[in-house]
Amino acid sequence: MFVSRKCIFHILVHAAALLPAALIVWDSTRGQLTANPIQEITLRTGKTTLVLLVLTLSCTPFRLITGIRAVLPLRRILGLYTFSYACLHFLIFVGLDYGFNLPLIFEEVLKKRFAIAGFAAFITLLPLVITSTRGWAKRLGGDWQRLHKLVYLTALLAVTHFTWQVKADFRLPLLYGIIIIFLLVIRLPQVRAKLDELTLPLRNLISAIGRHK
Ligand code: HEM
């Protein structure tokens, strides 16, 4: 049976995205989720959500720099995994931490600024997921592209949420902040045009290598 390179690549991406969830299950069966498993799972799913969000945002700049279009379909896959981990992260907070006690959750979210930012980030993901199908992309036309720019706000809210929940060491939130700002700035038309010019030799080289294979 012939399995295309694209198919193998996609299988690897799915496997990598599922790995953090598998590790949580594996560690929980061996009692390796620290003395506070709920907090550990919250932190792990939060970090995975952020990493996946950054990877989703990296696909377009990667294509701009390398000319490799094969990464573009990954935006949807990675975006859906981002949402899945965000749901898990959110459900652990509302379910395991607060036993689905909605008035208490509401009270707590309003008391903690980091939770407000996290909740806002989660809400911005909803229209993106709902309209992620081909049908919605067709129905919305140009508006679809405009709507999906909402992911930039998601990223800024997510990094704000991360920064506000950290108590002492701000290095990691700062690093994520810098990466996200870079990924957003690179999309500005003037920056994009300059980058296009600067990376032309690299794209030519990659396409020449591709032709010789
Ligand atoms: C796109 C949405 C979200 C992203 C990307 C995200 C990301 C993160 C990250 C990166 C962390 C820190 C992980 C670490 O320090 O290792 C975190 C922690 C946390 N997040 Fe979120 N989060 C999101 C939504 C939410 C929502 C909706 C809630 C609930 C209202 C929430 C509640 C929490 C809590 C309770 C913690 C742990 C705080 C602690 O134990 O110190 N997050 N999140």
Side-chain angles (χ1 to χ4, degrees), residues 16-22 24 44-46 48-49 52 80-90:
L18 288 168
L19 189 66
I24 290 174
R44 284 201 201 183
T45 50
T48 307
T49 309
L52 286 166
L80 291 175
Y81 275 115
T82 303
F83 180 68
S84 309
Y85 277 99
C87 283
L88 217 61
H89 183 64
F90 181 55

Side-chain angles (χ1 to χ4, degrees), residues 28 52 88 118 121-122 129 136-137 141-143 145 154 169 205 209 213:
S28 75
L52 286 166
L88 217 61
F122 184 69
V129 170
W136 270 105
D143 287 338
Q145 300 267 357
T154 313
D169 190 350
L205 179 71
I209 293 170
K213 268 194 185 164

Side-chain angles (χ1 to χ4, degrees), residues 11 26 36 49 59-61 67 78 83-84 105 134-135 141 144 168 172-173 183 185 200 202 204 211:
I11 291 171
W26 173 247
N36 188 343
T49 309
C59 294
T60 301
L78 292 170
F83 180 68
S84 309
I105 292 163
R134 274 208 191 115
W144 190 88
L172 210 50
L183 291 172
V185 167
L200 185 64
L202 177 68
N204 286 343
R211 273 198 303 272

